[in-house]
Amino acid sequence: MSNCLFCKILSKELPGKIFYEDDLCIAFDDINPQAPVHVLIVPREHIPTLNDLNEGHRDLLGHLCMVVTKIAGMKKIKDPGFRMVINCNPAGGQMVYHLHIHVMGGRQMSWPPG
Ligand code: AMP
Ligand code: ZN
């Protein structure tokens, strides 16, 4: 998508602190971190929201979850614990309409979230 922020980071048209890449996704640091570790995992495919997933995305979703734990390990938050979040649409707090997983850790998380 030509005017999508995360597509532009994927294509390197815009800078991002990308520290993990594979054939299906990339991961980079959130520009406005809400925790000492705050990473975004972004599929290469432009999928606007969780609501746009279909049966063909099963393998991709499984892969993204495996990447979450891989990155949690890389960032040393796997054992202490961390939070994985996907915001969906305005009421869910979604700001960028290219599906992404937030991985946050390095501090105690509270519940319920804001
Ligand atoms: P969401 O509200 O779930 O759509 O989350 C969007 C996230 O993207 C927010 O946490 C922003 O801080 C983050 N973000 C926005 N622009 C950038 C950027 N250029 N590089 C990295 N993260 C960004
Ligand atoms: Zn996109």
Side-chain angles (χ1 to χ4, degrees):
M1 283 280 283
S2 57
N3 63 348
C4 169
L5 177 66
F6 289 172
C7 281
K8 285 180 178 165
I9 291 176
L10 275 156
S11 67
K12 315 269 167 74
E13 199 179 321
L14 283 177
K17 284 192 188 170
I18 299 172
F19 63 87
Y20 175 87
E21 283 195 73
D22 63 30
D23 52 337
L24 294 177
C25 67
I26 63 171
F28 52 87
D29 294 326
D30 196 293
I31 205 167
N32 182 24
Q34 301 302 308
V37 175
H38 187 168
V39 171
L40 301 176
I41 299 173
V42 178
R44 291 190 185 278
E45 181 180 347
H46 179 87
I47 304 164
T49 79
L50 261 185
N51 293 339
D52 298 301
L53 291 172
N54 58 49
E55 286 295 325
H57 291 117
R58 276 180 186 276
D59 287 352
L60 173 63
L61 261 287
H63 178 77
L64 294 175
C65 286
M66 297 308 296
V67 171
V68 167
T69 50
K70 184 181 285 191
I71 283 169
M74 287 166 66
K75 296 283 188 178
K76 314 280 187 226
I77 57 173
K78 189 171 176 174
D79 291 333
F82 61 94
R83 185 163 293 173
M84 159 180 162
V85 171
I86 300 178
N87 297 322
C88 183
N89 275 345
Q94 186 170 4
M95 301 292 286
V96 177
Y97 281 77
H98 180 134
L99 184 71
H100 51 282
I101 300 176
H102 297 256
V103 180
M104 289 169 282
R107 67 169 170 84
Q108 181 62 48
M109 297 292 162
S110 58
W111 194 264

